[in-house]
Structure formats: C-alpha cells, structure tokens
Amino acid sequence: MTTYLVTGGAGFIGSNFIHYMFEKYGDSIRIINVDALTYAGNLENLKGVSGRANYSFVKADITDSDAINRIFDENDIDRVVHFAAESHVDRSIRNPGVFVQTNVLGTCVMLNAARSAWEKEDGSYKEGKKFLHVSTDEVYGSLSDPKDYFYETTPYDPHSPYSASKASSDLLVKAYMDTYGFPANITNCSNNYGPYQFPEKLIPLMINNALTGKKLPVYGDGKNVRDWLYVKDHCKGIDMVIEKGRPGETYNIGGHNEKQNIEIVNIIIDTLLEILPEGDERRKNVSKDLITYVEDRKGHDRRYAIAPDKIKKELSWEPETCFEDGIKLTIKWYLDNEEWFKNVTSGDYQKYYSKMYNV
Ligand code: NAD
Ligand code: DAU
C-alpha cells in the first residue's frame, strides 16, 4: 500500500487532492494529512474522508522539525505531496515574514526530513520514493506581450513577497535534486478555482459578497489577466506527475483559460442570476451595480498564462473541465454549502476584511 504524506491537506487544493485520491484509489492507498490549521486550514473540508481507516490527521507546523521527523520515523512514507504554504498575495504584502517562515523554512524542514528517511548509506534513495513540491506560475513574474507564455524554461522573476517565497522554496527543491540527487518534482500551476476555496481569493470572495449584497472590490482597472484551472484538473496533474514524472523535472500545469478579472466578476453575476430561482431570497442582492473599482494591489502582476505543452506531451495530461462548466459547478457548490461560507466568514475573517478593504 502506498503511503502519502500530504502537507496542507486542510486547505483549498490539499483537501480537494485528498478527496480526488480517495475517489481514484479507494482503500489501496493511505494518506496522512499534516496541517497546522492556520486561518486557511479547515477540517470541515475533509468531513467526507475523516472516518476512513486509511486516513489520518496530524496537527503540526511544517517548521517544527521534531514533529515532522517523528511522522517519518513512525511511518514508511512513500510520497510527500507538499501543499502547505501561506498562499495569499495580499496578506504577503502586509506581512511578509510568515511567508518566509512557512514557505521557505517549512519546505527546508520537509526536504530534510524526507531526505534523511529515504537516503541510503551509499547516497542512493530507497525504491519508489518521491517528493512533489506544489508551486505556482507566479514565480515567473508578469507577461506583457500577449503572445508570450510561461514555459518551464522561463526565468524566475517573482514580484510579491508571496511569489518570492515560493520561488525560494522551488530553488531549494532544485538544489536538493542537483546536490543530493533527491527524488522530487516541482509543479507550477496557474490560478485554481472550485469548492473549499477560502473567500479571500477572487472567485469565492465575489460569490460571497454578491450573495450578501456587499460591494465587489475590483483592483485597479480590472484588466489584469489570470489563467484559471478547475482544481480537480490540477489534482489530476499532480497525481500524474507523482506517478509518471521524470525525477528532477518541473511541469507547468494550466488549461489555457485566460480571463480579465472584470470578466470573471461579470460571469459570476450572470451565473448567479441564471442559477438562483426567482423566489430565492439571495437573488435580490445580486447585481452588477455592486462592482466597485478600488485601489490597485501594490506591484500587481498584469498577466499570467501557462504553456502546459510539456505535461501534455510527456504525461498525456489534459484538463477535463472547461471554464463554463467549472464555474457553474463551483457556484452551485457554494450555494449548496451556505453553512460552510457562514462558518469561514465568521470571527477573524471580518477583521481581515475590514482592514484589507477599509470598511
Ligand atoms: P490554502 O491557503 O488554501 O491552504 C494552505 C494550507 O496550508 C492550510 O490548510 C494551512 O492551514 C496550511 N498551512 C499553512 N501554514 C502551515 C504550516 N506552517 N504548517 C502546516 N500547515 C500550514 O492554499 P491553497 O490555495 O490550497 O494552495 C496550496 C498550495 O498550492 C500552496 O503551496 C500554493 O502556493 C500552491 N498553489 C496555489 C494555487 C491557487 O490558485 N490557490 C495555484 C498554484 C499553486
Ligand atoms: O497564479 C497562481 C496563484 O493564484 C497562486 O499561487 C496563489 O496562491 C493564489 O492566491 C492566486 O494568486 P492571485 O493573486 O492571482 O489570486 P487572487 O484570487 O488573490 O486574485 C486574482 C486576481 O483578482 C488578481 O489579479 C487580484 C484580483 N483581485 C483579487 C481580490 C481578492 C481583485 O480585483 N479584487 C479582490 O478583492
């Protein structure tokens, strides 16, 4: 039985990945989820799997090397899937320190623990071990020529403290591969959307605000471009890279779905009005009049766009969910899970929101 150590499995992509893996592999795998449960970690995301005999949860911080080493001592880990990170650009602009701590130092702790558990005396590694470092397209910086794309060979040029910390962690993983022959892959993915995403990020924030009649804060001129991928397609790509990716390689993951932010906001409003029945109380708040242009994000990258040619050619990965379907599935999920929204937006979220948006 293959044993996976998933870090950050209580967050958005990590929890989707755990669901994806159990749906695909059932009882033939074991997953240990290690998560510090920061504001972004939510065990409610894992309700459907928490009772499984082949799933366990460990509350630990990835910067705590004793706790992480203990997990490796007590379990024969075959795969590490490293999601745990501080992930929000706006928070990194306000408070960069914790991004360096978790994303850089935490990754170093994970690498050291896996290396010392997996390396044999002759410097080679035990059979079948793999470390998958989950990273972002933001490490490549911003594209100005509309014909340009991010390839695996594009030089790193991060601008925000978040992307700089992710770039640093990627370089650490590369250094372990080059120096110690450490068996790893890096994936750099574009913007994900789907169920369980914390409403500090564009899509769930706009859905939540529209449903509650709050302003829809669009940064700058709203024409910044992001390349959106349904989260399940990302999870599928990660699984394929773990199984078939050549050790030492980086794979970009993205579905060629570039959209300006203002387009996304308009699509959300149109879709809500299409889905919500006439008599539904929540429908009365939904309106394009809520769109409000606000001060731009500092150092706001203009355009991201992934070239996924390598993962398509080498591993036959293809995205399965087009944006039109994915956004409907996503909005329906949030409408059907009002309680989830209510729970994550109570307490500290309100303080964050007031400070961030001056309301
Ligand atoms: P998220 O913020 O939703 O979840 C992060 C998880 O990590 C949370 O459960 C949190 O509790 C946990 N965590 C944070 N600090 C920790 C620590 N010190 N120790 C242990 N656990 C800790 O993030 P996400 O959007 O799911 O992103 C997951 C990964 O994917 C990140 O590495 C991110 O850089 C990368 N990524 C995200 C996207 C995206 O669009 N969201 C795109 C590409 C890559
Ligand atoms: O590209 C991958 C990255 O995508 C991941 O590495 C990050 O973890 C993830 O958070 C995401 O980063 P972005 O900064 O692109 O995502 P965010 O949802 O914060 O913003 C998307 C765009 O929408 C961006 O151009 C800023 C804009 N925006 C965002 C918010 C929260 C607004 O206009 N208004 C808002 O209120």
mmCIF file of all heavy atoms in Angstrom, residues 199-219 265 268-269 272 282-287 289-292 294 334 341 345 349-350 352-353 357 359:
data_model
loop_
_atom_site.group_PDB
_atom_site.id
_atom_site.type_symbol
_atom_site.label_atom_id
_atom_site.label_comp_id
_atom_site.label_asym_id
_atom_site.label_seq_id
_atom_site.Cartn_x
_atom_site.Cartn_y
_atom_site.Cartn_z
ATOM 1 N N PRO A 199 -12.659 32.478 1.087
ATOM 2 C CA PRO A 199 -13.158 33.684 0.405
ATOM 3 C C PRO A 199 -12.330 34.948 0.629
ATOM 4 O O PRO A 199 -12.877 36.049 0.734
ATOM 5 C CB PRO A 199 -14.570 33.834 0.965
ATOM 6 C CG PRO A 199 -14.553 33.114 2.253
ATOM 7 C CD PRO A 199 -13.531 32.028 2.166
ATOM 8 N N GLU A 200 -11.005 34.784 0.625
ATOM 9 C CA GLU A 200 -10.101 35.931 0.499
ATOM 10 C C GLU A 200 -9.652 36.015 -0.956
ATOM 11 O O GLU A 200 -9.149 37.034 -1.396
ATOM 12 C CB GLU A 200 -8.867 35.734 1.400
ATOM 13 C CG GLU A 200 -8.045 34.515 0.990
ATOM 14 C CD GLU A 200 -6.903 34.161 1.917
ATOM 15 O OE1 GLU A 200 -6.591 34.938 2.834
ATOM 16 O OE2 GLU A 200 -6.309 33.073 1.711
ATOM 17 N N LYS A 201 -9.841 34.912 -1.716
ATOM 18 C CA LYS A 201 -9.400 34.834 -3.108
ATOM 19 C C LYS A 201 -10.546 35.303 -4.007
ATOM 20 O O LYS A 201 -11.728 35.209 -3.643
ATOM 21 C CB LYS A 201 -9.003 33.398 -3.467
ATOM 22 C CG LYS A 201 -7.986 32.775 -2.502
ATOM 23 C CD LYS A 201 -6.580 33.277 -2.727
ATOM 24 C CE LYS A 201 -5.620 32.978 -1.587
ATOM 25 N NZ LYS A 201 -5.473 31.601 -1.200
ATOM 26 N N LEU A 202 -10.194 35.772 -5.217
ATOM 27 C CA LEU A 202 -11.156 36.488 -6.061
ATOM 28 C C LEU A 202 -12.523 35.794 -6.211
ATOM 29 O O LEU A 202 -13.561 36.398 -5.924
ATOM 30 C CB LEU A 202 -10.547 36.719 -7.462
ATOM 31 C CG LEU A 202 -11.462 37.488 -8.418
ATOM 32 C CD1 LEU A 202 -11.514 38.968 -8.077
ATOM 33 C CD2 LEU A 202 -11.009 37.323 -9.868
ATOM 34 N N ILE A 203 -12.525 34.536 -6.679
ATOM 35 C CA ILE A 203 -13.817 33.928 -7.048
ATOM 36 C C ILE A 203 -14.743 33.698 -5.844
ATOM 37 O O ILE A 203 -15.878 34.203 -5.847
ATOM 38 C CB ILE A 203 -13.588 32.661 -7.916
ATOM 39 C CG1 ILE A 203 -13.091 33.120 -9.297
ATOM 40 C CG2 ILE A 203 -14.860 31.806 -8.028
ATOM 41 C CD1 ILE A 203 -12.832 32.031 -10.323
ATOM 42 N N PRO A 204 -14.294 33.022 -4.775
ATOM 43 C CA PRO A 204 -15.234 32.857 -3.650
ATOM 44 C C PRO A 204 -15.576 34.173 -2.952
ATOM 45 O O PRO A 204 -16.687 34.331 -2.436
ATOM 46 C CB PRO A 204 -14.502 31.894 -2.699
ATOM 47 C CG PRO A 204 -13.067 31.946 -3.096
ATOM 48 C CD PRO A 204 -13.035 32.283 -4.554
ATOM 49 N N LEU A 205 -14.624 35.137 -2.976
ATOM 50 C CA LEU A 205 -14.923 36.435 -2.347
ATOM 51 C C LEU A 205 -16.049 37.138 -3.103
ATOM 52 O O LEU A 205 -17.010 37.649 -2.510
ATOM 53 C CB LEU A 205 -13.664 37.308 -2.310
ATOM 54 C CG LEU A 205 -13.804 38.668 -1.604
ATOM 55 C CD1 LEU A 205 -12.530 38.990 -0.808
ATOM 56 C CD2 LEU A 205 -14.090 39.809 -2.551
ATOM 57 N N MET A 206 -15.977 37.104 -4.428
ATOM 58 C CA MET A 206 -17.013 37.776 -5.228
ATOM 59 C C MET A 206 -18.364 37.055 -5.069
ATOM 60 O O MET A 206 -19.412 37.705 -4.995
ATOM 61 C CB MET A 206 -16.601 37.834 -6.706
ATOM 62 C CG MET A 206 -15.393 38.730 -6.950
ATOM 63 S SD MET A 206 -15.729 40.473 -6.541
ATOM 64 C CE MET A 206 -14.058 41.159 -6.603
ATOM 65 N N ILE A 207 -18.342 35.727 -5.026
ATOM 66 C CA ILE A 207 -19.609 34.990 -4.855
ATOM 67 C C ILE A 207 -20.240 35.353 -3.509
ATOM 68 O O ILE A 207 -21.420 35.696 -3.413
ATOM 69 C CB ILE A 207 -19.382 33.462 -4.944
ATOM 70 C CG1 ILE A 207 -18.836 33.074 -6.321
ATOM 71 C CG2 ILE A 207 -20.681 32.698 -4.648
ATOM 72 C CD1 ILE A 207 -18.375 31.603 -6.425
ATOM 73 N N ASN A 208 -19.416 35.304 -2.460
ATOM 74 C CA ASN A 208 -19.921 35.590 -1.116
ATOM 75 C C ASN A 208 -20.448 37.029 -1.019
ATOM 76 O O ASN A 208 -21.531 37.268 -0.482
ATOM 77 C CB ASN A 208 -18.808 35.348 -0.097
ATOM 78 C CG ASN A 208 -19.295 35.484 1.333
ATOM 79 O OD1 ASN A 208 -20.341 34.958 1.690
ATOM 80 N ND2 ASN A 208 -18.556 36.218 2.146
ATOM 81 N N ASN A 209 -19.668 37.988 -1.571
ATOM 82 C CA ASN A 209 -20.103 39.386 -1.496
ATOM 83 C C ASN A 209 -21.385 39.613 -2.286
ATOM 84 O O ASN A 209 -22.286 40.312 -1.829
ATOM 85 C CB ASN A 209 -18.996 40.314 -2.023
ATOM 86 C CG ASN A 209 -17.896 40.517 -0.999
ATOM 87 O OD1 ASN A 209 -17.767 39.729 -0.070
ATOM 88 N ND2 ASN A 209 -17.101 41.559 -1.165
ATOM 89 N N ALA A 210 -21.476 39.008 -3.468
ATOM 90 C CA ALA A 210 -22.679 39.203 -4.291
ATOM 91 C C ALA A 210 -23.906 38.660 -3.560
ATOM 92 O O ALA A 210 -24.969 39.295 -3.551
ATOM 93 C CB ALA A 210 -22.511 38.514 -5.633
ATOM 94 N N LEU A 211 -23.748 37.511 -2.927
ATOM 95 C CA LEU A 211 -24.901 36.895 -2.243
ATOM 96 C C LEU A 211 -25.331 37.688 -1.014
ATOM 97 O O LEU A 211 -26.487 37.628 -0.603
ATOM 98 C CB LEU A 211 -24.561 35.460 -1.830
ATOM 99 C CG LEU A 211 -24.431 34.451 -2.979
ATOM 100 C CD1 LEU A 211 -23.921 33.111 -2.463
ATOM 101 C CD2 LEU A 211 -25.767 34.271 -3.690
ATOM 102 N N THR A 212 -24.371 38.411 -0.425
ATOM 103 C CA THR A 212 -24.703 39.149 0.803
ATOM 104 C C THR A 212 -24.854 40.649 0.534
ATOM 105 O O THR A 212 -24.936 41.448 1.465
ATOM 106 C CB THR A 212 -23.625 38.893 1.886
ATOM 107 O OG1 THR A 212 -22.327 39.134 1.320
ATOM 108 C CG2 THR A 212 -23.674 37.479 2.415
ATOM 109 N N GLY A 213 -24.855 41.023 -0.750
ATOM 110 C CA GLY A 213 -25.103 42.425 -1.124
ATOM 111 C C GLY A 213 -23.969 43.373 -0.783
ATOM 112 O O GLY A 213 -24.167 44.580 -0.668
ATOM 113 N N LYS A 214 -22.738 42.809 -0.644
ATOM 114 C CA LYS A 214 -21.574 43.677 -0.367
ATOM 115 C C LYS A 214 -20.956 44.117 -1.686
ATOM 116 O O LYS A 214 -21.094 43.439 -2.707
ATOM 117 C CB LYS A 214 -20.516 42.895 0.414
ATOM 118 C CG LYS A 214 -20.818 42.739 1.871
ATOM 119 C CD LYS A 214 -19.487 42.599 2.634
ATOM 120 C CE LYS A 214 -19.627 41.695 3.822
ATOM 121 N NZ LYS A 214 -19.051 40.387 3.690
ATOM 122 N N LYS A 215 -20.195 45.226 -1.631
ATOM 123 C CA LYS A 215 -19.516 45.708 -2.842
ATOM 124 C C LYS A 215 -18.576 44.644 -3.395
ATOM 125 O O LYS A 215 -18.021 43.837 -2.631
ATOM 126 C CB LYS A 215 -18.713 46.964 -2.508
ATOM 127 C CG LYS A 215 -19.622 48.158 -2.320
ATOM 128 C CD LYS A 215 -18.822 49.407 -2.027
ATOM 129 C CE LYS A 215 -19.785 50.574 -1.882
ATOM 130 N NZ LYS A 215 -19.175 51.705 -1.179
ATOM 131 N N LEU A 216 -18.366 44.679 -4.713
ATOM 132 C CA LEU A 216 -17.443 43.736 -5.347
ATOM 133 C C LEU A 216 -16.169 44.509 -5.699
ATOM 134 O O LEU A 216 -16.130 45.221 -6.713
ATOM 135 C CB LEU A 216 -18.084 43.134 -6.602
ATOM 136 C CG LEU A 216 -19.477 42.516 -6.384
ATOM 137 C CD1 LEU A 216 -20.050 41.988 -7.688
ATOM 138 C CD2 LEU A 216 -19.415 41.389 -5.342
ATOM 139 N N PRO A 217 -15.133 44.397 -4.850
ATOM 140 C CA PRO A 217 -13.956 45.261 -4.999
ATOM 141 C C PRO A 217 -13.000 44.785 -6.100
ATOM 142 O O PRO A 217 -12.288 43.802 -5.930
ATOM 143 C CB PRO A 217 -13.276 45.162 -3.623
ATOM 144 C CG PRO A 217 -13.683 43.819 -3.100
ATOM 145 C CD PRO A 217 -15.002 43.470 -3.718
ATOM 146 N N VAL A 218 -12.986 45.498 -7.211
ATOM 147 C CA VAL A 218 -12.110 45.130 -8.335
ATOM 148 C C VAL A 218 -10.866 46.021 -8.280
ATOM 149 O O VAL A 218 -10.982 47.249 -8.296
ATOM 150 C CB VAL A 218 -12.854 45.320 -9.677
ATOM 151 C CG1 VAL A 218 -11.930 45.043 -10.848
ATOM 152 C CG2 VAL A 218 -14.092 44.418 -9.716
ATOM 153 N N TYR A 219 -9.700 45.392 -8.216
ATOM 154 C CA TYR A 219 -8.459 46.171 -8.085
ATOM 155 C C TYR A 219 -8.099 46.855 -9.408
ATOM 156 O O TYR A 219 -8.171 46.232 -10.486
ATOM 157 C CB TYR A 219 -7.279 45.270 -7.703
ATOM 158 C CG TYR A 219 -7.384 44.539 -6.374
ATOM 159 C CD1 TYR A 219 -6.532 43.465 -6.109
ATOM 160 C CD2 TYR A 219 -8.300 44.908 -5.390
ATOM 161 C CE1 TYR A 219 -6.597 42.775 -4.908
ATOM 162 C CE2 TYR A 219 -8.373 44.224 -4.187
ATOM 163 C CZ TYR A 219 -7.526 43.156 -3.948
ATOM 164 O OH TYR A 219 -7.589 42.471 -2.762
ATOM 165 N N VAL A 265 -15.764 38.601 -12.791
ATOM 166 C CA VAL A 265 -16.797 39.147 -11.904
ATOM 167 C C VAL A 265 -18.142 39.185 -12.639
ATOM 168 O O VAL A 265 -19.185 38.790 -12.088
ATOM 169 C CB VAL A 265 -16.379 40.549 -11.388
ATOM 170 C CG1 VAL A 265 -17.476 41.164 -10.527
ATOM 171 C CG2 VAL A 265 -15.073 40.453 -10.594
ATOM 172 N N ILE A 268 -19.593 35.711 -12.875
ATOM 173 C CA ILE A 268 -20.157 35.259 -11.585
ATOM 174 C C ILE A 268 -21.573 35.818 -11.403
ATOM 175 O O ILE A 268 -22.506 35.090 -11.048
ATOM 176 C CB ILE A 268 -19.226 35.660 -10.413
ATOM 177 C CG1 ILE A 268 -17.948 34.806 -10.460
ATOM 178 C CG2 ILE A 268 -19.928 35.501 -9.061
ATOM 179 C CD1 ILE A 268 -16.859 35.222 -9.489
ATOM 180 N N ILE A 269 -21.739 37.111 -11.675
ATOM 181 C CA ILE A 269 -23.070 37.727 -11.509
ATOM 182 C C ILE A 269 -24.071 37.072 -12.469
ATOM 183 O O ILE A 269 -25.176 36.677 -12.062
ATOM 184 C CB ILE A 269 -23.014 39.254 -11.792
ATOM 185 C CG1 ILE A 269 -22.042 39.939 -10.837
ATOM 186 C CG2 ILE A 269 -24.406 39.881 -11.695
ATOM 187 C CD1 ILE A 269 -22.498 40.023 -9.423
ATOM 188 N N LEU A 272 -24.908 33.537 -11.287
ATOM 189 C CA LEU A 272 -25.777 33.528 -10.093
ATOM 190 C C LEU A 272 -27.217 33.823 -10.498
ATOM 191 O O LEU A 272 -28.155 33.164 -10.043
ATOM 192 C CB LEU A 272 -25.289 34.570 -9.080
ATOM 193 C CG LEU A 272 -24.099 34.168 -8.210
ATOM 194 C CD1 LEU A 272 -23.554 35.370 -7.439
ATOM 195 C CD2 LEU A 272 -24.487 33.054 -7.228
ATOM 196 N N ARG A 282 -31.741 35.090 -1.802
ATOM 197 C CA ARG A 282 -30.371 35.548 -2.065
ATOM 198 C C ARG A 282 -30.262 36.283 -3.395
ATOM 199 O O ARG A 282 -29.346 37.039 -3.627
ATOM 200 C CB ARG A 282 -29.412 34.340 -2.060
ATOM 201 C CG ARG A 282 -29.288 33.706 -0.696
ATOM 202 C CD ARG A 282 -28.564 32.386 -0.752
ATOM 203 N NE ARG A 282 -29.286 31.384 -1.519
ATOM 204 C CZ ARG A 282 -28.858 30.132 -1.686
ATOM 205 N NH1 ARG A 282 -27.725 29.745 -1.143
ATOM 206 N NH2 ARG A 282 -29.556 29.270 -2.394
ATOM 207 N N ARG A 283 -31.233 36.042 -4.281
ATOM 208 C CA ARG A 283 -31.181 36.616 -5.624
ATOM 209 C C ARG A 283 -31.325 38.147 -5.610
ATOM 210 O O ARG A 283 -30.760 38.847 -6.452
ATOM 211 C CB ARG A 283 -32.301 35.988 -6.449
ATOM 212 C CG ARG A 283 -32.154 36.169 -7.923
ATOM 213 C CD ARG A 283 -33.395 35.634 -8.622
ATOM 214 N NE ARG A 283 -33.545 36.304 -9.891
ATOM 215 C CZ ARG A 283 -33.084 35.848 -11.038
ATOM 216 N NH1 ARG A 283 -32.500 34.688 -11.108
ATOM 217 N NH2 ARG A 283 -33.219 36.545 -12.139
ATOM 218 N N LYS A 284 -32.045 38.629 -4.594
ATOM 219 C CA LYS A 284 -32.350 40.073 -4.595
ATOM 220 C C LYS A 284 -31.090 40.950 -4.425
ATOM 221 O O LYS A 284 -31.062 42.087 -4.841
ATOM 222 C CB LYS A 284 -33.405 40.411 -3.533
ATOM 223 C CG LYS A 284 -32.942 40.308 -2.088
ATOM 224 C CD LYS A 284 -34.052 40.824 -1.169
ATOM 225 C CE LYS A 284 -33.645 41.036 0.266
ATOM 226 N NZ LYS A 284 -32.897 39.970 0.925
ATOM 227 N N ASN A 285 -30.042 40.371 -3.826
ATOM 228 C CA ASN A 285 -28.811 41.154 -3.632
ATOM 229 C C ASN A 285 -27.932 41.217 -4.873
ATOM 230 O O ASN A 285 -27.090 42.098 -5.005
ATOM 231 C CB ASN A 285 -27.961 40.504 -2.527
ATOM 232 C CG ASN A 285 -28.598 40.648 -1.169
ATOM 233 O OD1 ASN A 285 -29.151 41.693 -0.851
ATOM 234 N ND2 ASN A 285 -28.537 39.589 -0.370
ATOM 235 N N VAL A 286 -28.098 40.235 -5.753
ATOM 236 C CA VAL A 286 -27.122 40.050 -6.840
ATOM 237 C C VAL A 286 -27.331 41.079 -7.951
ATOM 238 O O VAL A 286 -28.387 41.134 -8.564
ATOM 239 C CB VAL A 286 -27.262 38.617 -7.426
ATOM 240 C CG1 VAL A 286 -26.263 38.398 -8.539
ATOM 241 C CG2 VAL A 286 -27.096 37.569 -6.329
ATOM 242 N N SER A 287 -26.287 41.898 -8.169
ATOM 243 C CA SER A 287 -26.419 42.936 -9.194
ATOM 244 C C SER A 287 -25.036 43.446 -9.611
ATOM 245 O O SER A 287 -24.118 43.529 -8.796
ATOM 246 C CB SER A 287 -27.238 44.088 -8.612
ATOM 247 O OG SER A 287 -26.972 45.269 -9.313
ATOM 248 N N ASP A 289 -24.428 46.388 -10.161
ATOM 249 C CA ASP A 289 -24.225 47.685 -9.503
ATOM 250 C C ASP A 289 -23.274 47.577 -8.312
ATOM 251 O O ASP A 289 -22.761 48.576 -7.818
ATOM 252 C CB ASP A 289 -25.568 48.249 -8.989
ATOM 253 C CG ASP A 289 -26.507 48.571 -10.137
ATOM 254 O OD1 ASP A 289 -26.015 48.674 -11.284
ATOM 255 O OD2 ASP A 289 -27.729 48.682 -9.895
ATOM 256 N N LEU A 290 -23.061 46.353 -7.848
ATOM 257 C CA LEU A 290 -22.160 46.172 -6.689
ATOM 258 C C LEU A 290 -20.682 46.310 -7.093
ATOM 259 O O LEU A 290 -19.812 46.495 -6.241
ATOM 260 C CB LEU A 290 -22.368 44.786 -6.063
ATOM 261 C CG LEU A 290 -23.733 44.498 -5.429
ATOM 262 C CD1 LEU A 290 -23.832 43.026 -5.038
ATOM 263 C CD2 LEU A 290 -23.946 45.377 -4.198
ATOM 264 N N ILE A 291 -20.396 46.225 -8.388
ATOM 265 C CA ILE A 291 -18.992 46.295 -8.841
ATOM 266 C C ILE A 291 -18.413 47.665 -8.499
ATOM 267 O O ILE A 291 -18.970 48.697 -8.852
ATOM 268 C CB ILE A 291 -18.887 46.025 -10.364
ATOM 269 C CG1 ILE A 291 -19.305 44.585 -10.674
ATOM 270 C CG2 ILE A 291 -17.482 46.329 -10.878
ATOM 271 C CD1 ILE A 291 -19.380 44.237 -12.156
ATOM 272 N N THR A 292 -17.282 47.634 -7.768
ATOM 273 C CA THR A 292 -16.642 48.878 -7.329
ATOM 274 C C THR A 292 -15.149 48.805 -7.616
ATOM 275 O O THR A 292 -14.483 47.880 -7.140
ATOM 276 C CB THR A 292 -16.814 49.050 -5.794
ATOM 277 O OG1 THR A 292 -18.181 48.842 -5.477
ATOM 278 C CG2 THR A 292 -16.384 50.417 -5.311
ATOM 279 N N VAL A 294 -11.494 49.659 -6.921
ATOM 280 C CA VAL A 294 -10.783 50.136 -5.723
ATOM 281 C C VAL A 294 -9.294 50.257 -6.038
ATOM 282 O O VAL A 294 -8.846 49.862 -7.116
ATOM 283 C CB VAL A 294 -11.003 49.174 -4.516
ATOM 284 C CG1 VAL A 294 -12.482 49.070 -4.152
ATOM 285 C CG2 VAL A 294 -10.428 47.785 -4.800
ATOM 286 N N TYR A 334 -21.014 26.457 -3.797
ATOM 287 C CA TYR A 334 -21.097 27.477 -2.736
ATOM 288 C C TYR A 334 -22.560 27.746 -2.344
ATOM 289 O O TYR A 334 -22.858 27.974 -1.174
ATOM 290 C CB TYR A 334 -20.373 28.772 -3.151
ATOM 291 C CG TYR A 334 -18.858 28.616 -3.139
ATOM 292 C CD1 TYR A 334 -18.125 28.528 -4.316
ATOM 293 C CD2 TYR A 334 -18.154 28.517 -1.943
ATOM 294 C CE1 TYR A 334 -16.745 28.357 -4.308
ATOM 295 C CE2 TYR A 334 -16.782 28.342 -1.911
ATOM 296 C CZ TYR A 334 -16.071 28.263 -3.107
ATOM 297 O OH TYR A 334 -14.713 28.082 -3.070
ATOM 298 N N PHE A 341 -19.726 28.588 4.085
ATOM 299 C CA PHE A 341 -19.413 30.019 3.903
ATOM 300 C C PHE A 341 -19.580 30.773 5.224
ATOM 301 O O PHE A 341 -18.729 31.562 5.617
ATOM 302 C CB PHE A 341 -20.377 30.620 2.885
ATOM 303 C CG PHE A 341 -19.725 31.033 1.584
ATOM 304 C CD1 PHE A 341 -20.461 31.114 0.411
ATOM 305 C CD2 PHE A 341 -18.377 31.369 1.520
ATOM 306 C CE1 PHE A 341 -19.887 31.502 -0.785
ATOM 307 C CE2 PHE A 341 -17.785 31.761 0.332
ATOM 308 C CZ PHE A 341 -18.548 31.832 -0.817
ATOM 309 N N THR A 345 -16.548 32.654 7.330
ATOM 310 C CA THR A 345 -16.534 34.120 7.293
ATOM 311 C C THR A 345 -16.912 34.751 8.645
ATOM 312 O O THR A 345 -17.056 35.960 8.745
ATOM 313 C CB THR A 345 -17.482 34.677 6.197
ATOM 314 O OG1 THR A 345 -18.782 34.116 6.386
ATOM 315 C CG2 THR A 345 -16.976 34.352 4.809
ATOM 316 N N TYR A 349 -12.279 36.451 10.029
ATOM 317 C CA TYR A 349 -12.435 36.870 8.632
ATOM 318 C C TYR A 349 -12.945 38.320 8.560
ATOM 319 O O TYR A 349 -12.492 39.105 7.735
ATOM 320 C CB TYR A 349 -13.402 35.946 7.897
ATOM 321 C CG TYR A 349 -13.612 36.329 6.437
ATOM 322 C CD1 TYR A 349 -12.677 35.976 5.471
ATOM 323 C CD2 TYR A 349 -14.745 37.042 6.029
ATOM 324 C CE1 TYR A 349 -12.858 36.327 4.131
ATOM 325 C CE2 TYR A 349 -14.937 37.392 4.702
ATOM 326 C CZ TYR A 349 -13.992 37.032 3.758
ATOM 327 O OH TYR A 349 -14.174 37.379 2.440
ATOM 328 N N GLN A 350 -13.885 38.652 9.452
ATOM 329 C CA GLN A 350 -14.459 40.004 9.442
ATOM 330 C C GLN A 350 -13.381 41.046 9.719
ATOM 331 O O GLN A 350 -13.343 42.089 9.080
ATOM 332 C CB GLN A 350 -15.591 40.134 10.481
ATOM 333 C CG GLN A 350 -16.771 39.212 10.247
ATOM 334 C CD GLN A 350 -17.407 39.404 8.871
ATOM 335 O OE1 GLN A 350 -17.305 40.465 8.267
ATOM 336 N NE2 GLN A 350 -18.036 38.353 8.355
ATOM 337 N N TYR A 352 -10.146 40.697 9.167
ATOM 338 C CA TYR A 352 -9.286 40.742 7.973
ATOM 339 C C TYR A 352 -9.935 41.606 6.904
ATOM 340 O O TYR A 352 -9.305 42.478 6.305
ATOM 341 C CB TYR A 352 -9.051 39.325 7.429
ATOM 342 C CG TYR A 352 -8.534 39.307 6.000
ATOM 343 C CD1 TYR A 352 -7.187 39.564 5.729
ATOM 344 C CD2 TYR A 352 -9.400 39.080 4.923
ATOM 345 C CE1 TYR A 352 -6.722 39.588 4.423
ATOM 346 C CE2 TYR A 352 -8.939 39.103 3.621
ATOM 347 C CZ TYR A 352 -7.597 39.350 3.370
ATOM 348 O OH TYR A 352 -7.134 39.375 2.076
ATOM 349 N N TYR A 353 -11.247 41.369 6.678
ATOM 350 C CA TYR A 353 -11.947 42.043 5.578
ATOM 351 C C TYR A 353 -11.981 43.566 5.804
ATOM 352 O O TYR A 353 -11.704 44.339 4.894
ATOM 353 C CB TYR A 353 -13.373 41.475 5.427
ATOM 354 C CG TYR A 353 -13.961 41.855 4.093
ATOM 355 C CD1 TYR A 353 -13.758 41.054 2.974
ATOM 356 C CD2 TYR A 353 -14.670 43.046 3.935
ATOM 357 C CE1 TYR A 353 -14.249 41.419 1.735
ATOM 358 C CE2 TYR A 353 -15.165 43.416 2.693
ATOM 359 C CZ TYR A 353 -14.954 42.596 1.605
ATOM 360 O OH TYR A 353 -15.431 42.966 0.368
ATOM 361 N N TYR A 357 -10.052 45.951 3.177
ATOM 362 C CA TYR A 357 -10.879 46.714 2.231
ATOM 363 C C TYR A 357 -11.385 48.043 2.817
ATOM 364 O O TYR A 357 -12.261 48.680 2.225
ATOM 365 C CB TYR A 357 -12.047 45.844 1.740
ATOM 366 C CG TYR A 357 -11.560 44.652 0.913
ATOM 367 C CD1 TYR A 357 -11.342 43.407 1.501
ATOM 368 C CD2 TYR A 357 -11.277 44.786 -0.446
ATOM 369 C CE1 TYR A 357 -10.879 42.332 0.763
ATOM 370 C CE2 TYR A 357 -10.806 43.716 -1.198
ATOM 371 C CZ TYR A 357 -10.619 42.490 -0.593
ATOM 372 O OH TYR A 357 -10.149 41.430 -1.330
ATOM 373 N N VAL A 359 -13.360 48.872 5.297
ATOM 374 C CA VAL A 359 -14.807 49.030 5.511
ATOM 375 C C VAL A 359 -15.177 48.679 6.958
ATOM 376 O O VAL A 359 -14.469 47.970 7.631
ATOM 377 C CB VAL A 359 -15.652 48.138 4.569
ATOM 378 C CG1 VAL A 359 -15.602 48.685 3.149
ATOM 379 C CG2 VAL A 359 -15.214 46.681 4.621
#
